[in-house]
Amino acid sequence: MITIVYPLIESDWGEEIQYSLRSIAKNLEIPFQVIIYGTYRPEWLTGVTFLEATVEHSDTVPQCQYNQGLIYQDLLETGLDNFVFFNDDIYLLDKTDTFSPVYHNDGPHPEERPGGVWRGLLWDTREALIQQGLPSRNYETHIPYPIECKKLLQLPEVLEGRQLLATAYYNRF
């Protein structure tokens, strides 16, 4: 059985989680369970585990991807071995029984860092990988990605929200 984890906050896009959950129910061909992590639980949400964001994190988690390290810290405390990280706007369009990471090359390292906080974290992550002599492919592709918790524990920069999970994790492991 695999565990699928979604971060969820109340937003104008509240219906997306329903469509994503339906796509999993229809197209995922292996046993699964779902954990919703967040500060918001829709009344209609049933058949899933809801993990409420801790009080100390509730002002920042899970508002955007660069705060996901705090989500991962709380997930690790549940004793999970592995999980597949989804977002509410990710849909399975065809039958599947596996998930694989995908990367894209977004060009050479720019002299300036356009794009705000998230883009800055992407470049910080890639620079740290280069300094360690590792590949620095960009795995931030907004698709589901499987994570082994033992390996995640080896990435304090991710758990502290200073690096992006997919890029740090898949270039290292």
Side-chain angles (χ1 to χ4, degrees):
M1 176 174 305
I2 66 167
T3 299
I4 296 172
V5 174
Y6 287 92
L8 185 64
I9 60 170
E10 190 168 9
S11 74
D12 293 338
W13 302 96
E15 301 294 316
E16 287 188 326
I17 187 77
Q18 287 180 314
Y19 305 133
S20 184
L21 289 168
R22 285 182 197 155
S23 77
I24 290 170
K26 179 180 177 183
N27 291 312
L28 190 55
E29 296 184 312
I30 55 175
F32 66 92
Q33 67 175 349
V34 174
I35 295 176
I36 306 287
Y37 177 93
T39 57
Y40 163 67
R41 182 180 187 154
E43 291 180 19
W44 55 264
L45 189 59
T46 61
V48 303
T49 300
F50 183 79
L51 180 60
E52 188 167 352
T54 59
V55 174
E56 66 228 51
H57 300 162
S58 64
D59 291 338
T60 58
V61 174
Q63 293 179 358
C64 54
Q65 186 159 358
Y66 60 86
N67 288 324
Q68 286 182 2
L70 302 175
I71 298 170
Y72 306 136
Q73 288 178 37
D74 284 349
L75 286 172
L76 290 171
E77 291 176 11
T78 69
L80 280 176
D81 290 326
N82 305 303
F83 62 92
V84 178
F85 196 82
F86 265 69
N87 285 302
D88 61 350
D89 57 351
I90 294 175
Y91 313 111
L92 300 182
L93 301 177
D94 205 353
K95 302 289 185 191
T96 190
D97 62 2
T98 188
F99 299 100
S100 300
V102 175
Y103 70 89
H104 64 87
N105 183 0
D106 55 359
H109 193 293
E111 293 300 318
E112 297 181 25
R113 295 178 175 206
V117 175
W118 182 89
R119 186 55 115 174
L121 285 171
L122 174 61
W123 289 114
D124 288 347
T125 304
R126 293 179 79 182
E127 284 177 351
L129 290 163
I130 290 167
Q131 290 174 0
Q132 295 169 27
L134 296 169
S136 64
R137 295 179 183 105
N138 177 356
Y139 281 91
E140 308 303 322
T141 55
H142 202 69
I143 62 170
Y145 40 90
I147 301 296
E148 293 180 37
C149 293
K150 286 180 183 178
K151 292 178 180 177
L152 178 56
L153 283 169
Q154 298 175 43
L155 299 173
E157 301 84 2
V158 170
L159 295 172
E160 295 166 4
R162 294 184 286 121
Q163 291 184 5
L164 298 178
L165 173 65
T167 297
Y169 182 92
Y170 289 113
N171 280 295
R172 180 164 298 183
F173 304 114

PDB file of all heavy atoms in Angstrom, residues 11-32:
ATOM      1  N   SER A  11      -8.891  27.852  -0.028  1.00  0.00           N
ATOM      2  CA  SER A  11      -8.597  28.794  -1.105  1.00  0.00           C
ATOM      3  C   SER A  11      -9.780  28.865  -2.056  1.00  0.00           C
ATOM      4  O   SER A  11     -10.738  28.099  -1.940  1.00  0.00           O
ATOM      5  CB  SER A  11      -7.340  28.359  -1.870  1.00  0.00           C
ATOM      6  OG  SER A  11      -7.619  27.246  -2.682  1.00  0.00           O
ATOM      7  N   ASP A  12      -9.676  29.761  -3.009  1.00  0.00           N
ATOM      8  CA  ASP A  12     -10.698  29.879  -4.047  1.00  0.00           C
ATOM      9  C   ASP A  12     -10.712  28.675  -4.970  1.00  0.00           C
ATOM     10  O   ASP A  12     -11.630  28.497  -5.749  1.00  0.00           O
ATOM     11  CB  ASP A  12     -10.455  31.141  -4.885  1.00  0.00           C
ATOM     12  CG  ASP A  12     -10.664  32.404  -4.067  1.00  0.00           C
ATOM     13  OD1 ASP A  12     -11.372  32.335  -3.043  1.00  0.00           O
ATOM     14  OD2 ASP A  12     -10.105  33.442  -4.444  1.00  0.00           O
ATOM     15  N   TRP A  13      -9.677  27.844  -4.909  1.00  0.00           N
ATOM     16  CA  TRP A  13      -9.551  26.678  -5.779  1.00  0.00           C
ATOM     17  C   TRP A  13      -9.988  25.408  -5.051  1.00  0.00           C
ATOM     18  O   TRP A  13      -9.542  24.318  -5.374  1.00  0.00           O
ATOM     19  CB  TRP A  13      -8.104  26.520  -6.240  1.00  0.00           C
ATOM     20  CG  TRP A  13      -7.602  27.713  -6.966  1.00  0.00           C
ATOM     21  CD1 TRP A  13      -6.880  28.739  -6.443  1.00  0.00           C
ATOM     22  CD2 TRP A  13      -7.811  28.036  -8.326  1.00  0.00           C
ATOM     23  NE1 TRP A  13      -6.617  29.674  -7.403  1.00  0.00           N
ATOM     24  CE2 TRP A  13      -7.182  29.261  -8.583  1.00  0.00           C
ATOM     25  CE3 TRP A  13      -8.471  27.398  -9.380  1.00  0.00           C
ATOM     26  CZ2 TRP A  13      -7.180  29.872  -9.812  1.00  0.00           C
ATOM     27  CZ3 TRP A  13      -8.471  28.009 -10.611  1.00  0.00           C
ATOM     28  CH2 TRP A  13      -7.836  29.223 -10.820  1.00  0.00           C
ATOM     29  N   GLY A  14     -10.864  25.523  -4.062  1.00  0.00           N
ATOM     30  CA  GLY A  14     -11.238  24.431  -3.180  1.00  0.00           C
ATOM     31  C   GLY A  14     -11.733  23.170  -3.850  1.00  0.00           C
ATOM     32  O   GLY A  14     -11.664  22.094  -3.278  1.00  0.00           O
ATOM     33  N   GLU A  15     -12.266  23.251  -5.061  1.00  0.00           N
ATOM     34  CA  GLU A  15     -12.795  22.076  -5.734  1.00  0.00           C
ATOM     35  C   GLU A  15     -11.710  21.178  -6.326  1.00  0.00           C
ATOM     36  O   GLU A  15     -11.966  20.017  -6.605  1.00  0.00           O
ATOM     37  CB  GLU A  15     -13.756  22.497  -6.858  1.00  0.00           C
ATOM     38  CG  GLU A  15     -14.939  23.314  -6.380  1.00  0.00           C
ATOM     39  CD  GLU A  15     -15.868  22.508  -5.487  1.00  0.00           C
ATOM     40  OE1 GLU A  15     -16.168  21.355  -5.831  1.00  0.00           O
ATOM     41  OE2 GLU A  15     -16.275  23.034  -4.443  1.00  0.00           O
ATOM     42  N   GLU A  16     -10.520  21.696  -6.511  1.00  0.00           N
ATOM     43  CA  GLU A  16      -9.484  20.917  -7.179  1.00  0.00           C
ATOM     44  C   GLU A  16      -9.162  19.626  -6.438  1.00  0.00           C
ATOM     45  O   GLU A  16      -8.916  18.600  -7.056  1.00  0.00           O
ATOM     46  CB  GLU A  16      -8.220  21.752  -7.365  1.00  0.00           C
ATOM     47  CG  GLU A  16      -8.374  22.797  -8.434  1.00  0.00           C
ATOM     48  CD  GLU A  16      -7.066  23.495  -8.760  1.00  0.00           C
ATOM     49  OE1 GLU A  16      -6.232  23.687  -7.855  1.00  0.00           O
ATOM     50  OE2 GLU A  16      -6.889  23.838  -9.935  1.00  0.00           O
ATOM     51  N   ILE A  17      -9.159  19.652  -5.122  1.00  0.00           N
ATOM     52  CA  ILE A  17      -8.835  18.446  -4.364  1.00  0.00           C
ATOM     53  C   ILE A  17      -9.845  17.334  -4.655  1.00  0.00           C
ATOM     54  O   ILE A  17      -9.470  16.166  -4.729  1.00  0.00           O
ATOM     55  CB  ILE A  17      -8.726  18.747  -2.849  1.00  0.00           C
ATOM     56  CG1 ILE A  17      -8.209  17.529  -2.081  1.00  0.00           C
ATOM     57  CG2 ILE A  17     -10.048  19.190  -2.270  1.00  0.00           C
ATOM     58  CD1 ILE A  17      -6.763  17.294  -2.186  1.00  0.00           C
ATOM     59  N   GLN A  18     -11.104  17.688  -4.864  1.00  0.00           N
ATOM     60  CA  GLN A  18     -12.106  16.669  -5.204  1.00  0.00           C
ATOM     61  C   GLN A  18     -11.756  15.976  -6.517  1.00  0.00           C
ATOM     62  O   GLN A  18     -11.828  14.753  -6.620  1.00  0.00           O
ATOM     63  CB  GLN A  18     -13.496  17.295  -5.337  1.00  0.00           C
ATOM     64  CG  GLN A  18     -14.115  17.685  -4.030  1.00  0.00           C
ATOM     65  CD  GLN A  18     -15.494  18.286  -4.243  1.00  0.00           C
ATOM     66  OE1 GLN A  18     -15.692  19.132  -5.116  1.00  0.00           O
ATOM     67  NE2 GLN A  18     -16.439  17.850  -3.431  1.00  0.00           N
ATOM     68  N   TYR A  19     -11.395  16.751  -7.506  1.00  0.00           N
ATOM     69  CA  TYR A  19     -11.061  16.184  -8.817  1.00  0.00           C
ATOM     70  C   TYR A  19      -9.806  15.322  -8.742  1.00  0.00           C
ATOM     71  O   TYR A  19      -9.719  14.265  -9.361  1.00  0.00           O
ATOM     72  CB  TYR A  19     -10.888  17.285  -9.854  1.00  0.00           C
ATOM     73  CG  TYR A  19     -12.081  18.196  -9.961  1.00  0.00           C
ATOM     74  CD1 TYR A  19     -11.935  19.573  -9.977  1.00  0.00           C
ATOM     75  CD2 TYR A  19     -13.378  17.688 -10.022  1.00  0.00           C
ATOM     76  CE1 TYR A  19     -13.037  20.418 -10.070  1.00  0.00           C
ATOM     77  CE2 TYR A  19     -14.483  18.521 -10.100  1.00  0.00           C
ATOM     78  CZ  TYR A  19     -14.301  19.882 -10.129  1.00  0.00           C
ATOM     79  OH  TYR A  19     -15.387  20.708 -10.206  1.00  0.00           O
ATOM     80  N   SER A  20      -8.822  15.771  -7.975  1.00  0.00           N
ATOM     81  CA  SER A  20      -7.603  15.004  -7.835  1.00  0.00           C
ATOM     82  C   SER A  20      -7.876  13.672  -7.132  1.00  0.00           C
ATOM     83  O   SER A  20      -7.409  12.615  -7.570  1.00  0.00           O
ATOM     84  CB  SER A  20      -6.556  15.810  -7.067  1.00  0.00           C
ATOM     85  OG  SER A  20      -5.337  15.113  -7.014  1.00  0.00           O
ATOM     86  N   LEU A  21      -8.640  13.715  -6.045  1.00  0.00           N
ATOM     87  CA  LEU A  21      -8.981  12.482  -5.333  1.00  0.00           C
ATOM     88  C   LEU A  21      -9.775  11.526  -6.218  1.00  0.00           C
ATOM     89  O   LEU A  21      -9.545  10.311  -6.206  1.00  0.00           O
ATOM     90  CB  LEU A  21      -9.761  12.804  -4.061  1.00  0.00           C
ATOM     91  CG  LEU A  21      -8.943  13.462  -2.940  1.00  0.00           C
ATOM     92  CD1 LEU A  21      -9.866  14.001  -1.860  1.00  0.00           C
ATOM     93  CD2 LEU A  21      -7.928  12.495  -2.365  1.00  0.00           C
ATOM     94  N   ARG A  22     -10.709  12.056  -6.996  1.00  0.00           N
ATOM     95  CA  ARG A  22     -11.472  11.209  -7.920  1.00  0.00           C
ATOM     96  C   ARG A  22     -10.569  10.556  -8.951  1.00  0.00           C
ATOM     97  O   ARG A  22     -10.747   9.398  -9.320  1.00  0.00           O
ATOM     98  CB  ARG A  22     -12.546  12.036  -8.635  1.00  0.00           C
ATOM     99  CG  ARG A  22     -13.723  12.364  -7.776  1.00  0.00           C
ATOM    100  CD  ARG A  22     -14.737  13.140  -8.574  1.00  0.00           C
ATOM    101  NE  ARG A  22     -15.670  13.793  -7.674  1.00  0.00           N
ATOM    102  CZ  ARG A  22     -16.354  14.877  -7.962  1.00  0.00           C
ATOM    103  NH1 ARG A  22     -16.215  15.463  -9.144  1.00  0.00           N
ATOM    104  NH2 ARG A  22     -17.184  15.398  -7.092  1.00  0.00           N
ATOM    105  N   SER A  23      -9.587  11.315  -9.446  1.00  0.00           N
ATOM    106  CA  SER A  23      -8.692  10.750 -10.458  1.00  0.00           C
ATOM    107  C   SER A  23      -7.852   9.615  -9.877  1.00  0.00           C
ATOM    108  O   SER A  23      -7.579   8.633 -10.565  1.00  0.00           O
ATOM    109  CB  SER A  23      -7.802  11.843 -11.060  1.00  0.00           C
ATOM    110  OG  SER A  23      -6.734  12.200 -10.200  1.00  0.00           O
ATOM    111  N   ILE A  24      -7.467   9.738  -8.618  1.00  0.00           N
ATOM    112  CA  ILE A  24      -6.711   8.668  -7.973  1.00  0.00           C
ATOM    113  C   ILE A  24      -7.596   7.436  -7.800  1.00  0.00           C
ATOM    114  O   ILE A  24      -7.189   6.315  -8.110  1.00  0.00           O
ATOM    115  CB  ILE A  24      -6.161   9.139  -6.614  1.00  0.00           C
ATOM    116  CG1 ILE A  24      -5.063  10.167  -6.838  1.00  0.00           C
ATOM    117  CG2 ILE A  24      -5.626   7.958  -5.803  1.00  0.00           C
ATOM    118  CD1 ILE A  24      -4.625  10.848  -5.572  1.00  0.00           C
ATOM    119  N   ALA A  25      -8.814   7.646  -7.299  1.00  0.00           N
ATOM    120  CA  ALA A  25      -9.736   6.524  -7.097  1.00  0.00           C
ATOM    121  C   ALA A  25     -10.005   5.786  -8.409  1.00  0.00           C
ATOM    122  O   ALA A  25     -10.113   4.561  -8.440  1.00  0.00           O
ATOM    123  CB  ALA A  25     -11.038   7.026  -6.481  1.00  0.00           C
ATOM    124  N   LYS A  26     -10.082   6.529  -9.489  1.00  0.00           N
ATOM    125  CA  LYS A  26     -10.389   5.929 -10.792  1.00  0.00           C
ATOM    126  C   LYS A  26      -9.173   5.272 -11.444  1.00  0.00           C
ATOM    127  O   LYS A  26      -9.306   4.231 -12.091  1.00  0.00           O
ATOM    128  CB  LYS A  26     -10.942   7.004 -11.727  1.00  0.00           C
ATOM    129  CG  LYS A  26     -11.275   6.493 -13.109  1.00  0.00           C
ATOM    130  CD  LYS A  26     -11.828   7.599 -13.983  1.00  0.00           C
ATOM    131  CE  LYS A  26     -12.096   7.075 -15.386  1.00  0.00           C
ATOM    132  NZ  LYS A  26     -12.560   8.116 -16.288  1.00  0.00           N
ATOM    133  N   ASN A  27      -7.993   5.859 -11.279  1.00  0.00           N
ATOM    134  CA  ASN A  27      -6.855   5.448 -12.104  1.00  0.00           C
ATOM    135  C   ASN A  27      -5.680   4.797 -11.392  1.00  0.00           C
ATOM    136  O   ASN A  27      -4.822   4.221 -12.053  1.00  0.00           O
ATOM    137  CB  ASN A  27      -6.340   6.649 -12.902  1.00  0.00           C
ATOM    138  CG  ASN A  27      -7.324   7.079 -13.952  1.00  0.00           C
ATOM    139  OD1 ASN A  27      -7.829   6.252 -14.706  1.00  0.00           O
ATOM    140  ND2 ASN A  27      -7.624   8.364 -13.997  1.00  0.00           N
ATOM    141  N   LEU A  28      -5.618   4.875 -10.077  1.00  0.00           N
ATOM    142  CA  LEU A  28      -4.492   4.246  -9.387  1.00  0.00           C
ATOM    143  C   LEU A  28      -4.810   2.775  -9.157  1.00  0.00           C
ATOM    144  O   LEU A  28      -5.794   2.431  -8.502  1.00  0.00           O
ATOM    145  CB  LEU A  28      -4.193   4.949  -8.069  1.00  0.00           C
ATOM    146  CG  LEU A  28      -2.901   4.534  -7.382  1.00  0.00           C
ATOM    147  CD1 LEU A  28      -1.684   4.691  -8.293  1.00  0.00           C
ATOM    148  CD2 LEU A  28      -2.699   5.339  -6.103  1.00  0.00           C
ATOM    149  N   GLU A  29      -3.981   1.916  -9.708  1.00  0.00           N
ATOM    150  CA  GLU A  29      -4.269   0.483  -9.738  1.00  0.00           C
ATOM    151  C   GLU A  29      -3.585  -0.309  -8.629  1.00  0.00           C
ATOM    152  O   GLU A  29      -3.468  -1.527  -8.727  1.00  0.00           O
ATOM    153  CB  GLU A  29      -3.878  -0.082 -11.105  1.00  0.00           C
ATOM    154  CG  GLU A  29      -4.712   0.499 -12.223  1.00  0.00           C
ATOM    155  CD  GLU A  29      -4.397  -0.120 -13.569  1.00  0.00           C
ATOM    156  OE1 GLU A  29      -3.206  -0.224 -13.915  1.00  0.00           O
ATOM    157  OE2 GLU A  29      -5.362  -0.510 -14.257  1.00  0.00           O
ATOM    158  N   ILE A  30      -3.150   0.346  -7.579  1.00  0.00           N
ATOM    159  CA  ILE A  30      -2.573  -0.342  -6.428  1.00  0.00           C
ATOM    160  C   ILE A  30      -3.253   0.196  -5.174  1.00  0.00           C
ATOM    161  O   ILE A  30      -3.794   1.307  -5.181  1.00  0.00           O
ATOM    162  CB  ILE A  30      -1.042  -0.141  -6.354  1.00  0.00           C
ATOM    163  CG1 ILE A  30      -0.685   1.351  -6.365  1.00  0.00           C
ATOM    164  CG2 ILE A  30      -0.344  -0.868  -7.481  1.00  0.00           C
ATOM    165  CD1 ILE A  30       0.785   1.635  -6.184  1.00  0.00           C
ATOM    166  N   PRO A  31      -3.246  -0.583  -4.094  1.00  0.00           N
ATOM    167  CA  PRO A  31      -3.866  -0.103  -2.855  1.00  0.00           C
ATOM    168  C   PRO A  31      -3.191   1.178  -2.365  1.00  0.00           C
ATOM    169  O   PRO A  31      -1.966   1.327  -2.453  1.00  0.00           O
ATOM    170  CB  PRO A  31      -3.640  -1.252  -1.873  1.00  0.00           C
ATOM    171  CG  PRO A  31      -3.383  -2.451  -2.718  1.00  0.00           C
ATOM    172  CD  PRO A  31      -2.728  -1.947  -3.969  1.00  0.00           C
ATOM    173  N   PHE A  32      -3.993   2.088  -1.831  1.00  0.00           N
ATOM    174  CA  PHE A  32      -3.449   3.354  -1.361  1.00  0.00           C
ATOM    175  C   PHE A  32      -4.271   3.881  -0.196  1.00  0.00           C
ATOM    176  O   PHE A  32      -5.409   3.482   0.018  1.00  0.00           O
ATOM    177  CB  PHE A  32      -3.417   4.391  -2.500  1.00  0.00           C
ATOM    178  CG  PHE A  32      -4.778   4.799  -2.983  1.00  0.00           C
ATOM    179  CD1 PHE A  32      -5.429   5.900  -2.432  1.00  0.00           C
ATOM    180  CD2 PHE A  32      -5.421   4.084  -3.988  1.00  0.00           C
ATOM    181  CE1 PHE A  32      -6.683   6.270  -2.882  1.00  0.00           C
ATOM    182  CE2 PHE A  32      -6.672   4.445  -4.441  1.00  0.00           C
ATOM    183  CZ  PHE A  32      -7.309   5.550  -3.880  1.00  0.00           C
TER     184      PHE A  32
END
